[in-house]
Amino acid sequence: MPAPAHAAQGAHGELDVDAILADRSIEIIVCCGAGGVGKTTTSAALALRAAEAGRKAVVLTIDPARRLAQSLGLGELDNTPRPVSGIDTSTGGSLDAAMLDMKRTFDEVVLAHTTPEKAAQILRNPFYVALSSSFAGTQEYMAMEKLGQLHQQSKADGRWDLIIVDTPPARSALDFLDAPEHLSSLLEGRFLRLLLAPARGPLRLMSVGFNLVSSAMNKILGGQIITDVQTFATAFETLFGGFRQRAQQTFNLLASEHTTFVVVATAEADALREAAYFVDRLDEESMPLSGLVVNRVHRTELQLSAGRAQALAEELDPERQPVASVALHQHAALMQVIERERILLDRFAAARTRILTTRVQALQTDVSDLDSLRLVGHLLATQD
């Protein structure tokens, strides 16, 4: 495996997060990984730390939970980036935040790339409403569409110099990296092309054949469904080429020297397995990878082994010394967790020796405000 692109190595061989945030050539940071590993919190903490270090940052989250809005001091997040107040702007930085609205982003694409009459026809079509709201792969594609919009705006008006993307909780890297191609292939596919039913030229016979198939489908699916799809395909024809073109532009942007990926995981077997898959796939696609963030790692300052703590607990009378007994049992359990995490992380590091890693200590409370996000950012950047 080649050395990760944009890899910034700290004094002790860990991932140097502050060096990445300070690198002005990096305009996009993509946080990816399995669901439930803290991608959203990591993305927001990176954005806050970057802003307070002087970057003009915007964080785009895909997480529908309201925790992020609350931690950033915002009543709600939507498709339009909103400024975050209460941050230290003495270094000249700023922070905006947005949460992907999948359907609204799709609507914006339609409105931007077709006539008002065609757009109105598409937007009210029942098949389009279903496609833009819940079709598999649409969320991943629209996340990248929104990234493209933000990047274009940043180049046009200089509002941001760093975009941090919290990706959808896809089960595999394939879902994320291939979503643009999958959706554009669907929209340009043979099925929708046939639904255009050309009536002239060399395709006339195909049209006649398809009408026979369509008649049979009408009996199975219902005439209105087929009519809705045909109407959609006809109105959408002018946008077909644009989807593939933007999909390729998005892929090129992600693979460029101005983007870097950060894989997020926890010190658990399933999460690290997913992280390994992300790392390997990003390497296969020659995507610029900075390294791995491992969240919720347990640690203790008390140098007492699990076995020794358990032995001491068994020597105590739990009725006469209940607090000490419970504390020793809890410490023994914690040491077992720490040892299990160490083994898993050592195994990951041995298999992928050139992947830089930073570990974030497990917190006792939820991340619910800017101060707790600052703490996460500090832990991301500082390895004691």
Side-chain angles (χ1 to χ4, degrees), residues 72 106 127 147 206 211 237 251 262 298 312 317 320 330 332-333 337:
L72 291 171
F106 212 148
F127 181 76
L147 169 59
M206 181 185 296
N211 286 336
E237 183 178 19
F251 192 89
V262 173
H298 293 84
L312 289 173
D317 183 345
R320 297 181 61 183
Q330 289 178 338
V337 170

Side-chain angles (χ1 to χ4, degrees), residues 33 35 48 82 126 184 256 350 376:
L48 176 59
R82 299 168 177 263
S184 63
S256 76
V376 173

